[in-house]
């Protein structure tokens, strides 16, 4: 079978490697393939594989150009499935699948999930609880953001409608922070790898509460299967950097979250594929945070496999090929992970895990940064992570407790400048 992969994410390169191992052909289209060579240890071997064809196209973010390219690829070697693990390219994958007559999410459903203002507006008149919000459209001036903030009031959350990885998502508490945010955002025209930022902004009321996500899969015919819940610990405001996660079943609000998730996906017209939706557990019940029309990212697919025995990356491919996927529902073993960053700015000397590897439940300790790299203090987004740990346990508390304890045993050495 021939799979057309439209961009990816670093961890998703594992999916390409899995597909090649199963004997599938993969055509990978990317604006910057070299990005993955530097971000994934699996990329070099996958890209060099005899059944992997890597196409570099700076126009991959243009849907018209991408559809034209996909039809050329399809004419040369029939494509059997179209997919992506990239949040930025979910609408692109849906559009190409539609143009080739292959399985995929409806384009409207993909758009409703991809753009946060569309999510809010589409569900505004339903019984799905959302924060109060104002959509600042592309036709309005910069002053409209300030007007929207005053309508919602401080504190509020401002986010680009098409962002990901918590980039440029900020809790705004006063006029000074608002002015600084707008000045910084004005200089952001793209997210790298040819991904152009749309100008739409969403201003929302700040809702306090635990952040969790519901991982789900929409099967052929629109059947929604809620798989499990991932709790998501944040680093601390005003930023929204995710730091720790545990994938499990049995949350006290699971039934309410699963029922709400079905309403959200149906309301947005999301009719195909693995879906990741985030909820804030406010004092009076769950509030929808956002929806992503693709498999959950980061290390969560790895946590899924440890608990369920099912490789979610591979099941995305199987579903794109028209097969019924196996579902990674949490089992008796629960997996928890935690990212870590630097407490200060400096030059990385070493990251050591020797004191961790014999601890109960240890699965993995991985450093993303190499010695000699200049690192910044963990502050603004998920891109500040320097590595992660993964542990398992018999339940949520044991797995999360083990990974939290192990953080204190990382041997982390930096070279920093003295205060002058």
């Amino acid at each position: 079978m021939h799979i057309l992969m439209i961009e990816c994410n670093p961890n998703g390169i594992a999916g390409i490697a899995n597909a090649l191992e199963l004997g599938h052909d993969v055509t990978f289209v990317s604006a910057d393939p070299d990005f993955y060579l530097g971000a994934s240890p699996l990329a070099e071997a996958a890209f060099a594989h005899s059944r992997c064809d890597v196409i570099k196209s700076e126009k991959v973010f243009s849907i018209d150009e991408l559809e034209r390219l996909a039809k050329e690829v399809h004419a040369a070697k029939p494509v059997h499935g179209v997919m992506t693990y990239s949040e930025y390219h979910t609408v692109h994958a849906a559009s190409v699948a539609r143009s080739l007559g292959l399985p995929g999410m409806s384009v409207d459903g993909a758009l409703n999930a991809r753009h946060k203002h569309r999510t809010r507006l589409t569900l505004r008149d339903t019984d799905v609880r959302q924060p109060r919000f104002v959509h600042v459209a592309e036709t309005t001036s910069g002053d409209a953001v300030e007007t929207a903030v005053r309508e919602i009031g401080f504190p509020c959350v401002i986010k680009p409608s098409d962002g990901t990885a918590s980039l440029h998502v900020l809790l705004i508490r006063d006029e000074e922070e608002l002015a600084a945010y707008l000045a910084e955002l004005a200089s952001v025209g793209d997210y790298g790898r040819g991904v152009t930022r749309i100008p739409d902004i969403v201003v929302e009321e700040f809702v306090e509460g635990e952040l969790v996500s519901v991982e789900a899969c929409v099967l052929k015919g629109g059947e929604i299967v809620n798989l499990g819940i991932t709790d998501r610990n944040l680093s601390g405001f005003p930023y929204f950097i995710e730091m720790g996660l545990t994938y499990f079943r049995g949350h006290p609000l699971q039934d309410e979250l699963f029922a709400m998730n079905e309403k959200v996906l149906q309301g947005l017209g999301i009719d195909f594929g693995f879906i990741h939706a985030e909820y804030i557990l406010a004092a009076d019940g769950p509030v929808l945070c956002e929806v992503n029309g693709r498999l959950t990212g980061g290390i969560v697919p790895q946590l899924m496999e440890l608990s369920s025995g099912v490789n979610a990356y591979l099941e995305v491919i199987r579903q794109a090929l028209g097969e019924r996927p196996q579902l990674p529902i949490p089992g008796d073993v629960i997996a928890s992970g935690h990212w870590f960053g630097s407490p200060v700015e400096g030059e990385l000397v070493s990251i050591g895990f020797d004191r961790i590897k014999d601890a109960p439940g240890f699965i993995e300790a991985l450093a993303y940064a190499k010695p000699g790299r200049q690192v910044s203090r963990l502050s603004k987004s998920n891109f500040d992570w320097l590595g992660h740990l993964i542990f398992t346990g018999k339940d949520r508390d044991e797995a999360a407790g083990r990974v939290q304890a192990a953080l204190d045993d990382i041997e982390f050495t930096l070279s920093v400048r003295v205060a002058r």
Side-chain angles (χ1 to χ4, degrees), residues 51-383:
R51 288 195 305 277
C52 184
D53 185 18
V54 178
I55 299 176
K56 181 177 181 178
S57 172
E58 295 180 354
K59 297 181 178 179
V60 69
F61 200 66
S62 164
I63 290 179
D64 289 343
E65 289 293 326
L66 183 59
E67 288 183 342
R68 180 193 59 76
L69 176 59
K71 289 175 181 176
E72 289 180 358
V73 171
H74 183 63
K77 181 194 294 185
V79 173
H80 303 100
V82 178
M83 56 164 297
T84 188
Y85 299 114
S86 166
E87 171 64 20
Y88 292 128
H89 296 84
T90 51
V91 177
H92 298 71
S95 300
V96 170
R98 180 181 65 181
S99 71
L100 297 182
L102 295 171
M105 188 184 301
S106 72
V107 174
D108 279 346
L111 283 165
N112 287 340
R114 175 74 192 101
H115 297 305
K116 296 173 177 62
H117 71 277
R118 288 188 57 137
T119 300
R120 294 289 185 229
L121 293 169
T122 302
L123 297 174
R124 180 169 53 186
D125 296 324
T126 71
D127 61 353
V128 172
R129 290 192 63 212
Q130 301 191 89
R132 290 185 301 109
F133 72 94
V134 175
H135 166 221
V136 182
E138 59 181 328
T139 54
T140 57
S141 68
D143 293 342
V145 176
E146 297 183 18
T147 301
V149 167
R150 291 179 178 84
E151 180 177 338
I152 296 299
F154 294 117
C156 64
V157 177
I158 304 185
K159 57 184 72 172
S161 183
D162 62 346
T164 189
S166 300
L167 269 176
H168 312 299
V169 179
L170 195 70
L171 174 66
I172 303 292
R173 295 165 291 197
D174 55 40
E175 297 284 352
E176 184 177 349
E177 291 183 349
L178 175 60
Y181 176 86
L182 292 175
E184 179 179 335
L185 191 65
S187 65
V188 180
D190 64 75
Y191 299 117
R193 287 179 285 160
V195 179
T196 304
R197 182 176 79 84
I198 67 171
D200 295 69
I201 299 292
V202 179
V203 179
E204 301 176 352
E205 69 170 318
F206 173 56
V207 179
E208 288 193 80
E210 177 189 0
L211 180 67
V212 302
S213 61
V214 177
E215 319 308 339
C217 184
V218 185
L219 301 172
K220 186 177 180 180
E223 177 189 355
I224 298 171
V225 181
N226 291 302
L227 306 172
I229 290 173
T230 309
D231 59 17
R232 294 175 173 269
N233 302 322
L234 302 179
S235 64
F237 303 125
Y239 298 99
F240 292 81
I241 311 174
E242 294 181 354
M243 297 303 296
L245 318 113
T246 307
Y247 179 62
F248 67 106
R249 274 198 168 215
H251 192 284
L253 296 180
Q254 177 172 295
D255 291 346
E256 185 176 357
L257 284 164
F258 281 3
M260 186 174 181
N261 200 52
E262 292 189 21
K263 289 182 180 180
V264 168
L265 301 189
Q266 290 168 350
L268 295 177
I270 296 174
D271 57 355
F272 180 90
F274 284 81
I275 310 298
H276 163 77
E278 297 183 359
Y279 297 89
I280 304 163
L281 305 184
D284 54 351
V287 177
L288 177 64
C289 179
E290 66 179 48
V291 181
N292 302 126
R294 42 79 183 167
L295 177 68
T296 181
I299 57 177
V300 181
Q302 192 173 349
L303 306 184
M304 287 177 155
E305 185 171 7
L306 287 167
S307 184
S308 69
V310 175
N311 181 336
Y313 290 122
L314 194 53
E315 297 312 308
V316 172
I317 293 172
R318 290 184 59 201
Q319 189 173 19
L321 292 172
E323 303 173 21
R324 183 182 177 92
Q326 294 185 54
L327 299 177
I329 295 173
D332 294 335
V333 174
I334 299 302
S336 184
H338 206 289
W339 289 283
F340 60 88
S342 174
V344 295
E345 181 179 333
E347 180 179 304
L348 180 63
V349 175
S350 65
I351 300 176
F353 302 115
D354 289 345
R355 293 191 294 176
I356 293 172
K357 294 181 178 179
D358 293 329
F362 172 79
I363 297 295
E364 181 176 80
L366 183 65
Y368 304 158
K370 296 180 180 179
R373 172 178 149 182
Q374 290 292 322
V375 299
S376 61
R377 182 177 67 85
L378 177 79
S379 58
K380 291 188 175 182
S381 78
N382 298 353
F383 294 107

Side-chain angles (χ1 to χ4, degrees), residues 388-404:
H388 71 250
L389 307 179
I390 296 177
F391 280 74
T392 58
K394 66 180 182 296
D395 55 30
R396 177 192 186 190
D397 289 341
E398 183 173 74
R402 285 172 170 175
V403 77
Q404 284 286 341

